[in-house]
Amino acid sequence: VTAAGGVDSTVNLGLSLIPAHFAVAGLFLIGCFISVSMGTSMGTIAAMAPIAINVAQGAHLNVAIVGAAVIGGSYFGDNLSMISDTTISAAEGCGSEMKDKFKMNFFIALPAAIVAMILYSVIGGTGSGAIKAGSYNIIEVLPYLIVLGAALMGINVAVVLFVGILSAGIIGLCVGSCGFFDWIQAIGNGMSDMFSISMVAILVSGIIGLVREYGGVEWLVEAISDKIKSRRGAEYGIGLMSGILSAAMVNNTIAIIVTCPIAKEIGAKYKIAPKRLASLVDIFACAFISLMPHDGGMLMITALANVSPLSVLKYSFYMFGLIIATCVTIQFGLMLSLIHI
C-alpha cells in the first residue's frame, strides 16, 4: 500500500479535511486509521513520520507533540487491529477469539483515545505557519478501507491480507503510482521485514516447550502465584510481566508469545477468561514498549524531529491514558460484565 501511494494519499486527505487548529489531533486520528488498517505500529510510524514531521516543521508546530501523536496513533492500531501480529499472537496464545479480544480492548482503548484527542486539540496549537497538505488520490486510500472492512467482518486473516495486497497492487497499477515489478519488490521487502520476527518466534516457542517439559513454567507460575492473593493481583501480575518483557526485549510480539503460556496457567487458577488475558497481555506489551527511548518507533521519531525521547514522552497522552484506563478496569473490576457476554 505504501508503494502504491496509499500512505501519502491518506495523510494528505486527512490534513486537507481537518481544520488547522486540530492538526495534531488529526495526525493522531490518521495514525489510528492507518495502523488499524495495516496492523503494524512500526509500519505506520515509518510511513507517517516523515510526512508528519515535515508538516510540523513547515507549520512551525511543536515537533515533539506531533511525534508523540504519531506514535500514539500507531500503537492504537497495533493493539486493536484484527490483522496485527500482536493481536493474533495474544488471541491465539491465550485461546481467545480475535473478535472477543477486540471487544475487550476497544472499550479500554476508546476512552484513552478520546482523552488524547481532546488534549492534542487543546495543547497542539496551530503553529505560526500554514498547514500544507500535499496532493492525494482518494482511490489510493481504498486498500485500507477494504482491509479494515474485511477484518471487521470477521473474514479469515490470511484472506484479508491477500485481498489487501492484491487490491493495493491493482490500484497502484491502474493509477500509475507503481509498476508491476515495484509491487512485487514491495511485497518482498515487506515479507523480509517479518523473517527475523518469525524465526525468533519459532525459537522462543521451542525454548518455552523445553522449559514447560522440564517444569520451568509450572515453577514460574507458582513463584508468581505465591505473591498473588486475588484475581486483581493476578491481572496486575500478568500485565506487568508482559510489559516488562516487552520493554526488555524491545519486541512486543515476542514478549506476548513468551507471556501467554504463563498467563493461561495463572488465568486458569483465578478463572480469568481467555479474552481478558489476551487483552491484558497485548495492552501492556504495546504500552510499555511504546514508552521506551530505545524502541524503534521512538528512535525513528527522535531522529527525524531532532528531539530527545523525554520531549516526546511528556506528550504521549494516549499511551499513558491506555495504561491508566487498563489499571482502572483491573482495580475496580469494570470489565467483569463484558467478560461474561
Side-chain angles (χ1 to χ4, degrees), residues 16-300:
S16 67
L17 296 175
I18 295 166
H21 184 72
F22 300 106
V24 178
L27 286 167
F28 171 76
L29 190 60
I30 293 167
C32 292
F33 171 74
I34 294 176
S35 60
V36 168
S37 304
M38 289 176 67
T40 165
S41 54
M42 275 302 299
T44 303
I45 294 170
M48 269 197 71
I51 303 172
I53 297 301
N54 282 337
V55 167
Q57 291 171 340
H60 304 293
L61 291 167
N62 183 334
V63 289
I65 196 169
V66 168
V70 170
I71 291 174
S74 299
Y75 274 98
F76 176 88
D78 197 8
N79 183 233
L80 279 176
S81 175
M82 294 282 196
I83 58 173
S84 166
D85 51 354
T86 58
T87 294
I88 295 168
S89 300
E92 292 292 332
C94 292
S96 166
E97 292 289 333
M98 280 193 287
K99 62 180 180 180
D100 294 333
K101 182 260 182 191
F102 171 84
K103 186 187 294 183
M104 292 292 298
N105 277 30
F106 180 77
F107 287 106
I108 299 172
L110 183 61
I114 291 172
V115 170
M117 286 278 291
I118 294 170
L119 290 174
Y120 285 133
S121 299
V122 173
I123 300 173
T126 56
S128 57
I131 303 284
K132 295 181 180 178
S135 61
Y136 61 87
N137 187 338
I138 198 166
I139 295 175
E140 293 173 349
V141 182
L142 286 179
Y144 287 129
L145 299 175
I146 291 169
V147 169
L148 182 58
L152 291 175
M153 287 167 61
I155 298 173
N156 180 275
V157 172
V159 175
V160 172
L161 294 174
F162 180 79
V163 169
I165 291 171
L166 190 62
S167 63
I170 292 171
I171 289 171
L173 291 170
C174 289
V175 302
S177 55
C178 73
F180 177 76
F181 291 107
D182 295 325
W183 177 47
I184 297 300
Q185 185 176 4
I187 295 172
N189 291 339
M191 289 181 173
S192 65
D193 289 341
M194 295 301 295
F195 287 160
S196 58
I197 291 178
S198 300
M199 291 306 300
V200 172
I202 291 168
L203 293 172
V204 167
S205 296
I207 292 170
I208 292 172
L210 288 171
V211 171
R212 179 183 293 277
E213 179 67 22
Y214 291 106
V217 172
E218 288 77 8
W219 175 85
L220 187 57
V221 170
E222 286 300 322
I224 295 173
S225 297
D226 286 344
K227 297 177 176 60
I228 294 172
K229 305 303 179 184
S230 64
R231 176 199 175 94
R232 180 187 301 160
E235 292 191 347
Y236 276 126
I238 289 167
L240 285 173
M241 179 168 55
S242 177
I244 291 169
L245 284 172
S246 179
M249 295 190 289
V250 203
N251 191 310
N252 48 2
T253 305
I254 302 303
I256 289 169
I257 292 170
V258 173
T259 303
C260 281
I262 303 168
K264 284 180 71 175
E265 298 281 349
I266 297 173
K269 183 174 181 179
Y270 289 95
K271 294 182 173 57
I272 304 173
K275 55 187 175 183
R276 177 62 168 170
L277 293 174
S279 175
L280 290 171
V281 167
D282 195 1
I283 286 174
F284 277 92
C286 288
F288 273 50
I289 193 174
S290 69
L291 299 174
M292 293 298 106
H294 54 284
D295 176 46
M298 181 67 79
L299 291 173
M300 195 180 303

